[in-house]
Amino acid sequence: MDARFTPEQDEIRRTLRELLHKRCGPEELRAATGTPAGHDPALWTALAEQLGLPGLALPEPYGGVGCSVTELALACEETGRALPPSPLLATAVLTAPLLLALGTDAQRAALLPRIASGALTAALAIPGPALATALGLTGHDPRGAWAGGGRAGGVQARGADGGWRLYGQVDQVLDGHSAGLLVVAAHTGGFARSRVLLFLVRGDAAGLTRVRQTALDATRPQGRIQLRDVTADLLGSADTDALPALARLGDTVAACLAAEAVGAADRVLERTVEYVGQREQFGRPVGSFQAVKHRLADVYVQVQAARSAAYYAAWAAAHQETVGGLALAQALQALRSSAAEGIQLHGGLGFTWEHEVHLYFKRAAGDELLFGPVHRLRAHAADAAHVFEEAGR
């Protein structure tokens, strides 16, 4: 692997950082999280029109830029630095790859160009606590029991008049309250022969009720989706096996999330180093004390190690190597450490909820709740590699 960035990759990072610096300051960020949608539509339009961000990893025939997972991860690293509330993760990372991998030619032609242009946002409706399992990050579930197991709970699908009808509820869906398109995981076939399929549901479908939920991380808005006999289209065909596709998607998602966490951790570290260099105690800058230097040095080492792991995971995702879970675990650990030290070293100011460092701390905690926690990510990676089996022989 060539670890050097291309001029195009450097340009993506530079342009995106400049745009977010101008359009996503502290006041703009808090204003966006307070809107019903939870993000600024004008910023999303700018990201789509000026940078083509929603279609960065989509093929050019569908209106995309035609880049790889690496470029998408680099873009996520920059969004992690600024924490802009946007549908990028839900639309471009979680949903668009599924449409590309499983959709029919007609579905791809109808949906992907609109996603690439930013005109259509999308969300993957999988119960929040089960999302990491569904993506194969914290467990292996070949029958898809996380979707309800064909019993009460989750979403049930039944054939009707040559189509499909959905009934059920899904909580903690990223951008589920505002997305124009929902990709819903549902059980069909009854309990004895149940299987998980993915269905397309329009955001304005009759019988669909959506409510924004209060989330720990306000920059990552979530919604509750209720479906009462809602008309849906099957994604792909009846022969499409959704579970392996979700598991394959997991590595891409993990790589992008890891890069995003690295960007956030790096930004917190920068702000903390700047602050301790200005704040004085006993007539000298706090940052000049050896104990403070050691703490920040430890965080720096964690962030740099996590960055290397995230970059490798992004490269590996395009080469069918499964390392995303470990990279995500390392990046989330680095973000949690960086944010915690940031709060501590900002002193009394850092302990106020109004300070920006808390947004990064909540991002670390929120991502662990949805995609982790760290110890489960590592345990699943160890099980998949048969680490402990080999050690016991």
Side-chain angles (χ1 to χ4, degrees):
M1 112 179 233
D2 187 352
R4 294 172 297 180
F5 291 124
T6 65
E8 291 78 11
Q9 291 170 337
D10 286 331
E11 184 65 15
I12 289 173
R13 303 174 75 190
R14 183 191 64 79
T15 307
L16 181 54
R17 184 176 298 192
E18 290 179 356
L19 177 62
L20 292 177
H21 179 73
K22 295 177 181 177
R23 301 288 297 271
C24 193
E27 295 182 2
E28 291 85 355
L29 189 152
R30 295 184 185 277
T33 58
T35 63
H39 68 269
D40 181 6
L43 176 60
W44 178 244
T45 300
L47 293 174
E49 293 181 352
Q50 297 182 28
L51 300 176
L53 214 56
L56 193 61
L58 290 177
E60 293 182 17
Y62 296 114
V65 181
C67 292
S68 67
V69 178
T70 300
E71 284 76 17
L72 186 58
L74 291 176
C76 288
E77 182 180 0
E78 293 305 319
T79 60
R81 291 178 59 86
L83 298 185
S86 81
L88 179 65
L89 177 64
T91 299
V93 180
L94 283 169
T95 310
L98 286 175
L99 298 176
L100 181 63
L102 303 181
T104 64
D105 291 340
Q107 288 170 339
R108 294 172 184 169
L111 299 174
L112 291 180
R114 296 176 60 201
I115 286 178
S117 69
L120 177 67
T121 58
L124 178 60
I126 289 176
L131 186 55
T133 301
L135 295 173
L137 296 177
T138 58
H140 179 61
D141 186 0
R143 292 183 57 85
W146 47 264
R151 303 172 186 265
V155 179
Q156 309 301 318
R158 63 180 177 84
D161 301 325
W164 293 90
R165 313 286 288 189
L166 303 185
Y167 190 94
Q169 176 174 308
V170 189
D171 296 324
Q172 295 178 268
V173 179
L174 293 175
D175 290 299
H177 60 293
S178 62
L181 175 71
L182 300 174
V183 177
V184 182
H187 268 282
T188 182
F191 174 63
R193 296 178 300 164
S194 67
R195 58 185 299 224
V196 177
L197 297 175
L198 296 177
F199 296 88
L200 302 175
V201 177
R202 300 192 322 272
D204 59 353
L208 175 64
T209 302
R210 305 189 290 177
V211 179
R212 182 179 176 183
Q213 295 180 290
T214 300
L216 173 65
D217 180 9
T219 65
R220 193 88 92 189
Q222 302 174 17
R224 174 186 293 118
I225 297 172
Q226 294 178 332
L227 306 108
R228 294 183 174 86
D229 205 28
V230 174
T231 301
D233 295 322
L234 182 63
L235 177 60
S237 66
D239 297 329
T240 301
D241 197 346
L243 297 181
L246 285 169
R248 288 193 298 270
L249 174 64
D251 249 28
T252 296
V253 173
C256 291
L257 284 169
E260 185 185 74
V262 166
D266 189 50
R267 179 57 182 150
V268 174
L269 179 60
E270 287 179 1
R271 291 176 59 88
T272 305
V273 169
E274 180 182 2
Y275 180 76
V276 298
Q278 297 172 351
R279 178 187 171 199
E280 292 191 358
Q281 189 74 31
F282 305 113
R284 55 188 290 194
V286 172
S288 65
F289 292 104
Q290 195 71 17
V292 174
K293 291 181 180 180
H294 284 169
R295 292 170 67 172
L296 291 175
D298 288 342
V299 173
Y300 176 80
V301 170
Q302 288 189 56
V303 172
Q304 294 305 316
R307 175 176 279 116
S308 296
Y311 289 170
Y312 180 75
W315 175 86
H319 294 79
Q320 288 73 52
E321 291 189 30
T322 306
V323 297
L326 279 177
L328 178 57
Q330 192 162 359
L332 289 178
Q333 181 69 52
L335 176 54
R336 185 168 60 184
S337 298
S338 182
E341 290 290 359
I343 291 174
Q344 289 278 341
L345 295 177
H346 273 82
L349 179 65
F351 276 85
T352 62
W353 282 113
E354 292 77 11
H355 198 275
E356 291 173 55
V357 72
H358 281 273
L359 297 175
Y360 294 89
F361 185 82
K362 291 176 182 178
R363 171 59 62 89
D367 276 3
E368 279 209 63
L369 290 173
L370 280 174
F371 301 101
V374 166
H375 70 273
R376 287 187 179 175
L377 289 166
R378 288 175 172 156
H380 179 61
D383 289 342
H386 307 290
V387 171
F388 298 110
E389 292 180 16
E390 293 293 333
R393 290 180 182 177

